[in-house]
């Protein structure tokens, strides 16, 4: 391995390179040991994924103190990006809110364990959206506690799981409505403000909606997927903020895989198994490592019990907001978000955060889509009417709960999986076979089912449902793997 060293002030930069034919890899703990550095946050390693790496050694953590954002940071540049913080080397860390080159709304995921800074990041982006004239729909599944300042600063503020479902349904309907309107005028790329503003739909604590056993998991997963599919080209973006050890916990990993691959992914301080999962999901190339983010900046120092005055200092500064922008140009480069609001809790709303939103009303959904957005949108600021809609949703689910006769790939769960989506696949298959002139194979049936524009179904669930329908005598299994309606 060859090494070039450059030092400026007390910052030491090592440029490392392995011989051709090899791929650079490293072990963080050993690297710290070799450099005799006990505080790992003083070291930054960035590789090009091939032969080269830069190792930077700082006199102290370079991200210990972050400034608040400036108004300029909050405005989209010509590439649709805002500045969310700084990389360890002081360079601006950017995140895309919109891609003007393709006219695509963005899909975003922000992961991190409790207290890592997800909701502050959310507030910052919401404030940026307000300043950029983007319509924000925000569901805070901690009952509105995650970002209380957002109330009144966004177009729709939902605080329950039921309201989040209504919001997601409305968002899908708006995307479909926009699609209809745009195709009617022959428009094939989204142009901001012409005629409609960008709409950004965000669910904070999304794990509560999508985790195993959550009451609306199936529908929420479906809506998130659907919005990801349809929203992009019509200016409707979506973001999920979640703590999750496994992507499987968030509605099954295939829901999120596309979002992960193409979306804006931010990883804040994480819990144990998350990293392995990201590698498994192909998000981080294996061999790449991210310097773990400690909870506080107190270096681990070994102290003898006989040392006088070795009292631990509990006031070590935290690392909230520190993370990695995995989809940015420097995925392995540690960054930290700007200081958003006060570090110490404030009684009531935080004036610094309110100031970030700035004065005035937030942007509103275009009138042309109000009908599509439906009654939930119309009554979003009327607590009694919204509560009644949420009650109705809960009641509809309670009615559908029970054993699922035709499983949609998943067995019915105690606590009530919705029956609607499960029964529907059977109905869709029967409709396909009723319309067919000739018997069909399972593969042809699946293709035809997918072509009806309903929800995505896996090969496995089509197979299972065919089996159930055949056993029930509704369809006939012919030879050569063909199926037909039973006569
Ligand atoms: N960017 C930030 N600037 C200032 N303080 C922050 C920032 N991010 C997090 N904090 C501090 O950490 C606490 C937890 O952050 P929060 O965003 O609520 O975490 P999470 O949503 O991941 O649980 C906040 O109350 C705040 O004190
Ligand atoms: Mg939070």
């Amino acid at each position: 391995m060859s090494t070039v060293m450059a030092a400026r002030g007390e910052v030491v930069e090592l440029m490392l390179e392995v011989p051709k034919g090899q791929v650079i890899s490293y072990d963080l703990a050993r690297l710290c040991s070799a450099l005799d550095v006990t505080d790992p946050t003083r070291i930054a390693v960035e590789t090009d994924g091939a032969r080269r790496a830069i190792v930077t050694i700082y006199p102290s953590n370079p991200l210990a103190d972050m400034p608040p954002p400036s108004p300029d940071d909050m405005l989209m540049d010509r590439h649709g990006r805002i500045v969310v913080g700084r990389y360890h080397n002081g360079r601006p860390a950017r995140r895309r809110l919109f891609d003007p080159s393709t006219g695509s709304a963005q899909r975003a995921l922000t992961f991190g364990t409790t207290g890592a800074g997800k909701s502050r990041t959310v507030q910052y982006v919401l404030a940026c959206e307000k300043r950029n004239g983007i319509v924000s729909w925000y569901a805070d599944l901690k009952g509105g506690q995650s970002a209380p300042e957002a109330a009144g600063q966004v177009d729709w503020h939902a605080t329950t799981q039921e309201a989040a479902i209504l919001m997601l349904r409305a968002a899908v309907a708006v995307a479909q409505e926009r699609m209809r309107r745009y195709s009617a005028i022959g428009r094939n790329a989204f142009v901001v403000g012409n005629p409609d503003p960008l709409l950004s739909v965000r669910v904070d604590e999304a794990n509560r909606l999508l985790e195993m056993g959550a009451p609306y998991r199936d529908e929420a997963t479906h809506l998130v997927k659907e919005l990801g599919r349809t929203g992009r080209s019509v200016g409707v973006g979506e973001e999920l903020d979640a703590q999750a050890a496994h992507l499987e916990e968030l509605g099954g990993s295939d829901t999120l895989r596309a979002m992960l691959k193409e979306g804006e992914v931010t990883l804040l301080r994480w819990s144990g198994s998350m990293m392995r999962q990201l590698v498994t999901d192909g998000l981080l190339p294996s061999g790449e490592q991210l310097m773990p983010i400690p909870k506080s900046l107190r270096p681990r120092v070994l102290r003898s019990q006989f040392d006088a005055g070795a009292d631990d200092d509990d006031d070590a500064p935290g690392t909230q907001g520190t993370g990695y922008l995995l989809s940015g140009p420097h995925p392995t480069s540690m960054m930290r978000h700007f200081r958003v609001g006060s570090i110490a809790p404030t009684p009531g709303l935080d004036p610094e955060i309110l100031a970030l939103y700035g004065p005035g009303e937030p942007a509103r959904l275009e009138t042309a889509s109000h009908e599509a957005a439906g009654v939930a949108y119309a009554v979003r600021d009327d607590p009694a009417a919204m509560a009644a809609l949420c009650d109705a949703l809960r009641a509809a689910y309670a009615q559908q709960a029970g054993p699922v006769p035709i499983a949609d790939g998943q067995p019915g769960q105690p606590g009530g999986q919705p029956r609607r989506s499960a029964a529907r696949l059977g109905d869709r298959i029967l409709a396909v076979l009723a319309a067919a002139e000739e018997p069909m194979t399972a593969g042809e049936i699946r293709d035809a089912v997918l072509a009806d524009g309903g929800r995505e179904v896996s090969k496995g669930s089509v197979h299972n449902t065919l089996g159930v329908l055949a056993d029930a005598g509704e369809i006939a299994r012919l030879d050569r793997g063909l199926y037909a309606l039973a006569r």
Side-chain angles (χ1 to χ4, degrees):
M1 182 182 314
S2 64
T3 307
V4 182
M5 216 161 119
R8 188 195 283 173
E10 287 182 277
V11 179
V12 176
E13 209 173 66
L14 303 171
M15 315 288 277
L16 305 172
E17 185 180 305
V18 293
K20 276 192 188 146
Q22 293 185 23
V23 175
I24 201 159
S25 68
Y26 56 96
D27 180 317
L28 288 171
R30 288 183 189 192
L31 190 64
C32 289
S33 164
L35 297 166
D36 201 17
V37 169
T38 49
D39 173 5
T41 65
R42 283 180 47 209
I43 298 189
V45 184
E46 198 179 344
T47 75
D48 64 357
R51 291 174 49 215
R52 293 182 186 83
I54 301 182
V55 176
T56 317
I57 305 147
Y58 293 94
S60 61
N61 181 314
L63 298 172
D65 288 306
M66 288 303 294
S70 75
D72 271 356
D73 291 322
M74 302 181 76
L75 289 183
M76 284 197 279
D77 64 11
R78 64 196 175 86
H79 303 293
R81 298 172 310 182
I82 53 165
V83 183
V84 294
R86 302 250 178 272
Y87 287 108
H88 62 84
N89 53 19
R91 300 216 175 108
R94 296 194 169 85
R95 197 176 127 173
R96 201 186 291 283
L97 298 185
F98 177 63
D99 185 352
S101 67
T102 58
S104 298
Q106 300 298 288
R107 291 176 270 186
L109 289 167
T110 300
F111 292 117
T113 189
T114 305
K118 297 182 296 298
S119 298
R120 288 293 170 105
T121 306
V122 161
Q123 290 249 51
Y124 179 59
V125 178
L126 285 173
C128 292
E129 287 178 350
K130 185 180 175 204
R131 288 181 179 230
N132 286 285
I134 298 173
V135 178
S136 306
W137 287 6
Y138 173 50
D140 171 2
L141 300 182
K142 258 191 187 163
Q145 286 173 16
S146 298
E149 291 82 5
Q153 306 287 350
V154 294
D155 184 43
W156 187 346
H157 188 218
T159 55
T160 64
Q161 298 214 15
E162 289 79 16
I165 291 289
L166 296 173
M167 175 184 278
L168 287 169
R169 284 182 187 170
V172 169
V174 166
Q176 283 165 350
E177 167 62 20
R178 282 187 175 187
M179 227 180 251
R180 259 193 302 277
R181 280 195 282 119
Y182 298 171
S183 72
I185 57 172
R187 172 75 62 79
N188 56 15
F190 183 79
V191 182
V192 175
N194 184 12
D196 301 325
L198 276 168
L199 168 61
S200 152
V201 181
R202 182 173 282 98
V203 183
D204 195 350
E205 292 286 322
N207 42 292
R208 297 191 182 199
L209 197 62
L210 297 172
E211 70 202 356
M212 236 52 117
Y216 311 112
R217 181 180 205 239
D218 267 11
E219 184 176 357
T221 307
H222 167 63
L223 291 169
V224 164
K225 228 191 264 189
E226 193 61 17
L227 196 56
R229 209 166 58 83
T230 54
R232 200 176 152 80
S233 60
V234 293
V236 184
E238 64 174 333
E239 173 168 331
L240 301 179
D241 298 84
Q243 42 172 314
H246 292 285
L247 299 183
E248 305 293 336
E249 286 170 20
L250 297 179
S253 58
D254 71 319
T255 314
L256 295 177
R257 195 163 282 127
M259 280 181 79
L260 282 169
K261 285 268 156 64
E262 300 160 41
E264 292 284 308
V265 184
T266 304
L267 180 62
L268 297 166
R269 187 163 57 84
W270 58 83
S271 57
S273 47
M274 179 123 225
M275 190 65 51
R276 223 176 313 125
Q277 186 74 22
L278 290 172
V279 175
T280 316
D281 277 80
L283 203 75
L284 266 184
S286 49
E288 297 266 34
Q289 288 177 62
L290 299 179
M291 182 74 76
I293 299 165
K295 190 166 182 190
S296 88
L297 285 178
R298 183 197 352 236
R300 292 229 315 246
V301 181
L302 297 177
R303 282 211 182 97
S304 156
Q305 59 174 315
F306 305 115
D307 265 1
D311 227 10
D312 271 341
D313 169 17
D314 279 339
D315 278 346
T319 59
Q320 307 95 327
T322 305
Y324 295 90
L325 302 178
L326 293 183
S327 39
H330 309 288
T332 58
S333 193
M334 194 185 276
M335 57 78 62
R336 190 169 187 183
H337 288 86
F338 288 126
R339 188 163 65 72
V340 175
S342 359
I343 308 277
T346 48
L349 300 182
D350 186 329
E352 272 187 57
I353 296 182
L354 288 175
L356 284 179
Y357 283 100
E361 281 284 298
R364 302 292 181 188
L365 181 71
E366 68 276 4
T367 319
S369 292
H370 280 195
E371 200 182 317
V375 62
Y377 180 75
V379 304
R380 68 197 185 284
D381 290 326
D382 175 343
M386 183 46 86
L389 281 184
C390 291
D391 282 346
L393 179 85
R394 224 174 287 123
Y397 264 78
Q399 228 175 28
Q400 286 162 349
V404 179
I406 298 171
D408 197 359
Q410 289 162 333
Q413 286 181 1
Q417 281 288 317
R419 182 178 186 158
R420 193 173 51 98
S421 61
R424 226 199 254 148
L425 178 55
D427 292 340
R428 287 164 73 189
I429 291 176
L430 292 174
V432 161
L433 287 174
E437 317 257 47
E438 287 172 358
M440 299 168 82
T441 65
E444 291 165 345
I445 292 171
R446 176 170 181 250
D447 291 344
V449 164
L450 289 180
D452 72 11
R455 65 179 269 182
E456 177 78 24
V457 290
S458 69
K459 239 187 237 153
S461 49
V462 169
H463 249 283
N464 292 343
T465 309
L466 283 170
V468 175
L469 289 170
D471 291 345
E474 304 236 39
I475 61 174
R477 246 193 224 111
L478 311 175
D479 52 7
R480 298 197 315 278
L482 292 169
Y483 294 88
L485 275 193
R487 311 249 161 225

